[in-house]
Amino acid sequence: MTPVEAFECLKEWALTYIKHRDMAVRKIAEIKRSDSGFVVVNNDGTTAECVVKPSLKPFNLAAAAAKQKTPLIVFTLSNEENILAVYNSWLSLSSNRGLIVVFANPFSAIE
């Protein structure tokens, strides 16, 4: 699978996840697609940026989370490389209360 195909697959999985998470509260007003993923606009005017990164290796997660003024949800593949990237940056990541990291395996047949 090419990186572009992995990005698109993970992005569609993330969109479905966000929509299902909102089913009970119906807080989402609009979802705007962006180059890095999408932005969720809520009925109360708040927003959350959703970044889709199949690999966290070339992405400085700690720096991205630190510069965010709005909540940041990062969707990444559940693999050893990405888990280690979060583990190695945990001290700086854990101080950001607006950061959510979602590890997903959209290619699994048993999940």
Side-chain angles (χ1 to χ4, degrees):
M1 179 172 285
T2 68
V4 172
E5 290 173 327
F7 172 81
E8 288 301 323
C9 185
L10 186 57
K11 185 176 175 180
E12 289 305 314
W13 186 93
L15 280 166
T16 301
Y17 173 84
I18 289 293
K19 289 175 184 176
H20 280 101
R21 193 173 153 199
D22 184 60
M23 286 177 80
V25 293
R26 301 198 182 273
K27 189 176 172 183
I28 295 175
E30 180 182 12
I31 297 176
K32 299 178 184 179
R33 294 182 184 256
S34 69
D35 291 339
S36 62
F38 50 95
V39 176
V40 176
V41 180
N42 295 314
N43 293 323
D44 62 2
T46 60
T47 62
E49 183 175 356
C50 298
V51 176
V52 176
K53 291 286 182 187
S55 174
L56 294 178
K57 193 168 188 171
F59 180 60
N60 188 342
L61 183 57
K67 72 176 186 175
Q68 277 300 116
K69 293 181 171 85
T70 60
L72 175 66
I73 305 171
V74 178
F75 292 92
T76 191
L77 293 176
S78 180
N79 59 33
E80 186 175 354
E81 177 183 290
N82 292 335
I83 292 169
L84 284 174
V86 171
Y87 173 80
N88 290 330
S89 302
W90 185 249
L91 287 177
S92 59
L93 294 176
S94 63
S95 65
N96 187 329
R97 297 181 57 95
L99 174 66
I100 298 172
V101 179
V102 178
F103 293 98
N105 187 0
F107 313 113
S108 175
I110 59 172
E111 288 185 358

